[in-house]
Amino acid sequence: MNLTTLPPAIFLMGPTASGKTGAAVELISKLPVEIISVDSALVFNDMNIGTAKPDAETLAKAPHHLIDIIEPTSAYSAANFRSDALRLMADITARGKIPLLVGGTMLYFKALQEGLSGLPEANPAIRARLDARAALIGWPAMHEKLALIDPITATRLESNDTQRIQRALEVFEITGEAMSALYAKQTAEVLPYNLLKIALVPSDRKVLHERIALRFNQMLAAGFVDEVRTLIAKYPTLTPESTSMRCVGYRQALEYLKGDYDVAEFRDRGIFATRQLAKRQLTWLRGMDDIVQLDCLDVNLNEFVFNKINQYINI
């Protein structure tokens, strides 16, 4: 494909607390872009504080597609995202604007750009069996089992990344093949856009960790625990294994409300889980090609993002 004949699209990626939303919102008033959220947590209604969802005032100024589209009792997959994003990108392009895809769910970016791997649908019976086994031996031991059958995937995952460990083991049980082997067989589907991929990456990981801790404390002060109480009352079928409750912070909040630990430990566990998420996001970014990296800690970050995109648009 000749890139010059393709319509433009922009990926604005980065770890949690890297300033993606702030940069994107500022771009709305300066450039002909529309924002598509690339965040597996923001799709859920009624999950606002713990997901750092943009507030109503921000969304009024800078509307985001794919926010608040399903209830917390539902599930949303990379395949769902790809289908929705492609439709929205086509609509935005037809309106003479540029799709600006903003978020930190790297699997969604990968699925959109490269296509889907043809992995099997979830199997509730197998998942229940894996959960029962994990309850007996713990997820670190399940991670060790995964390392025996799929060392490539296991190396990429932390031993407490329960959702992805479960999925990799489930795929192996269903197909008899490692998830990494299935990905290797994947037939690339070219995304019909001329992409600019910007990654907001910290020059100092310690400062990002401080931001994460500050933001989690702000969430607690804003009523995060009460938000989770309300969710449990409104959606009584929610459990720690629900897709929505696997979002960072929510599982820890459920365990705190159940009495598993005190508020200080809840805070520490929530911050640690968020730091682990950021680590995984940065690992994904290191493996992606053709990325323009910007220091998310720079005081002029938003200006740098604007200049890069403006230059790209006017080439």
Side-chain angles (χ1 to χ4, degrees):
M1 285 189 181
N2 183 351
L3 290 179
T4 60
T5 66
L6 296 175
I10 302 157
F11 286 1
L12 183 58
M13 306 173 286
T16 185
S18 60
K20 300 180 295 294
T21 299
V25 169
E26 190 163 313
L27 290 171
I28 283 287
S29 63
K30 298 178 178 179
L31 296 171
V33 297
E34 284 190 39
I35 299 171
I36 299 175
S37 171
V38 188
D39 191 306
S40 60
L42 296 187
V43 298
F44 295 110
N45 291 316
D46 299 317
M47 293 173 56
N48 303 321
I49 298 173
T51 62
K53 188 176 292 178
D55 59 26
E57 182 180 352
T58 300
L59 292 175
K61 180 170 62 174
H64 288 49
H65 298 285
L66 300 186
I67 284 184
D68 290 333
I69 59 173
I70 59 173
E71 294 189 344
T73 49
S74 301
Y76 193 76
S77 67
N80 295 141
F81 170 79
R82 189 173 198 273
S83 175
D84 288 342
L86 287 173
R87 171 180 50 80
L88 288 166
M89 291 172 77
D91 291 345
I92 292 167
T93 299
R95 287 193 286 271
K97 293 191 174 183
I98 299 171
L100 173 61
L101 294 102
V102 182
T105 302
M106 302 306 166
L107 179 61
Y108 285 7
F109 282 114
K110 179 179 174 65
L112 179 59
Q113 186 176 3
E114 300 178 8
L116 298 168
S117 62
L119 295 180
E121 293 291 323
N123 184 305
I126 291 176
R127 290 195 168 189
R129 187 163 65 249
L130 291 169
D131 283 338
R133 184 61 177 163
L136 288 174
I137 67 174
W139 283 105
M142 299 292 279
H143 183 258
E144 292 175 5
K145 288 182 175 295
L146 177 62
L148 296 175
I149 60 175
D150 188 355
I152 294 175
T153 300
T155 299
R156 181 170 62 80
L157 302 179
E158 299 291 337
S159 60
N160 61 351
D161 191 353
T162 59
Q163 183 175 3
R164 292 176 178 83
I165 293 169
Q166 181 198 63
R167 177 58 174 159
L169 290 169
E170 175 192 40
V171 167
F172 182 79
E173 283 206 26
I174 294 172
T175 67
E177 292 189 74
M179 179 183 284
S180 57
L182 293 174
Y183 276 129
K185 294 178 182 179
Q186 176 176 324
T187 301
E189 299 178 43
V190 177
L191 185 66
Y193 291 86
N194 181 9
L195 283 178
L196 171 64
K197 296 186 286 185
I198 298 176
L200 308 186
V201 178
S203 55
D204 186 339
R205 192 80 64 90
K206 181 181 177 182
V207 178
L208 182 68
H209 290 171
E210 291 170 353
R211 282 190 181 183
I212 287 170
L214 175 62
R215 189 165 78 172
F216 199 82
N217 286 332
Q218 290 171 336
M219 289 176 179
L220 291 178
F224 178 34
V225 173
D226 287 336
E227 175 177 270
V228 178
R229 284 196 183 98
T230 301
L231 285 169
I232 295 169
K234 185 173 181 179
Y235 306 100
T237 60
L238 286 176
T239 73
E241 303 310 318
S242 300
T243 302
S244 59
M245 294 298 100
R246 294 184 181 190
C247 296
V248 166
Y250 284 87
R251 179 193 292 270
Q252 291 78 20
L254 287 178
E255 292 168 348
Y256 162 67
L257 289 172
K258 195 172 66 173
D260 288 356
Y261 34 75
D262 62 20
V263 68
E265 186 173 354
F266 163 47
R267 174 189 174 278
D268 290 345
R269 285 174 177 261
I271 291 172
F272 178 77
T274 310
R275 287 173 56 172
Q276 292 299 105
L277 170 62
K279 181 180 178 181
R280 292 194 298 272
Q281 291 167 319
L282 289 168
T283 299
W284 273 97
L285 287 171
R286 284 196 296 271
M288 297 179 77
D289 297 324
D290 304 321
I291 288 178
V292 176
Q293 286 199 20
L294 297 176
D295 181 9
C296 69
L297 307 180
D298 196 297
V299 294
N300 297 311
L301 173 63
N302 291 356
E303 180 183 347
F304 292 153
V305 172
F306 167 76
N307 288 340
K308 285 291 181 184
I309 295 177
N310 194 45
Q311 180 184 31
Y312 157 77
I313 289 173
N314 292 300
I315 289 176

